[in-house]
Amino acid sequence: MTVSARALALLAAVTVAGSALTGCAGTAAPVAPAVAAVQPSPSGQYNDTDIQFAQRAIALRQQARWLAQQAVQGAQSVGLKQFATEVESASQPQIEQLTTWLTQHNLPVPSASPGALPSLPAMPTAAPGAMPSLPAMPNAAELQGLSGEQFDNRIVELFSANHEGLLGSITAELANGVDPTVKGIADQLKVTATTEQQQLETLTGPTPTPTR
């Protein structure tokens, strides 16, 4: 190798090393969502359960975001406000992942106008592991008629119903779905929903519901 060739090789090595070091320097970047990229199903390898789960999970997380917004504005409990803030933040990337998957397959995506809740038709529940329907949610006026502890208890009750619906949908997807991408998202949502439900149980500990 000539001197010029060696110099060029050395310069290239230094440049590559410098780029690698630059990528490692500075403040660590935020952790990316567990499913970094949503890929279309190869050869259409998905079924009705995958579609229903994606649509219901989007609608349920939209419900959770709506409840979170109500709680941030009106909750008395600091812990409930913090929980609501975390739910609102966690829900958006999950909604986006499932929306991407549905869009890639030219499938309907649930949507809700500002201040409104999404609605989907109820699914049959006779078969074991069937996809549950969405839990009923009140309108904002009903919640605004409550205050203090009553408001907080009602919000926690609605959050619990929302999470039960989500966990039921996840169970159906993991049992009957076939698309690996959707099942992967369901696995991650299971962790999120289970953690959030445990946090809700902590919030209800010191403040009994009116029925107790």
Side-chain angles (χ1 to χ4, degrees):
M1 183 183 293
T2 65
V3 174
S4 296
R6 288 176 182 172
L8 288 172
L10 179 59
L11 178 60
V14 170
T15 302
V16 171
S19 299
L21 289 172
T22 301
C24 297
T27 304
V31 177
V35 178
V38 178
Q39 299 297 330
S41 304
S43 305
Q45 294 175 1
Y46 60 89
N47 63 11
D48 287 345
T49 298
D50 296 318
I51 298 170
Q52 293 162 7
F53 168 74
Q55 292 172 335
R56 268 157 181 70
I58 288 172
L60 284 159
R61 293 314 266 172
Q62 286 175 335
Q63 279 190 350
R65 281 178 59 80
W66 182 83
L67 284 172
Q69 290 162 3
Q70 305 309 307
V72 168
Q73 293 173 10
Q76 175 179 269
S77 164
V78 174
L80 180 54
K81 282 179 179 286
Q82 179 61 37
F83 170 79
T85 300
E86 293 171 359
V87 169
E88 187 173 9
S89 176
S91 298
Q92 188 56 38
Q94 296 161 352
I95 291 169
E96 290 172 357
Q97 287 176 332
L98 290 164
T99 297
T100 297
W101 185 85
L102 287 169
T103 302
Q104 288 171 340
H105 296 89
N106 299 313
L107 297 167
V109 178
S111 61
S113 59
L117 284 171
S119 60
L120 289 169
M123 297 300 299
T125 56
M131 198 71 63
S133 58
L134 293 180
M137 291 284 144
N139 57 37
E142 178 184 332
L143 290 176
Q144 289 167 2
L146 304 175
S147 61
E149 186 175 311
Q150 284 186 327
F151 178 91
D152 288 8
N153 286 338
R154 182 64 173 143
I155 287 288
V156 169
E157 178 183 312
L158 292 168
F159 263 130
S160 293
N162 176 271
H163 282 76
E164 287 172 7
L166 181 58
L167 287 167
S169 299
I170 290 167
T171 298
E173 168 61 23
L174 294 177
N176 303 317
V178 297
D179 182 83
T181 297
V182 179
K183 288 172 78 74
I185 296 173
D187 270 325
Q188 293 143 22
L189 271 171
K190 183 176 181 179
V191 174
T192 299
T194 301
T195 300
E196 290 176 355
Q197 190 73 329
Q198 290 169 347
Q199 291 173 324
L200 280 171
E201 291 169 3
T202 301
L203 288 172
T204 57
T207 307
T209 60
T211 56
R212 292 183 181 177

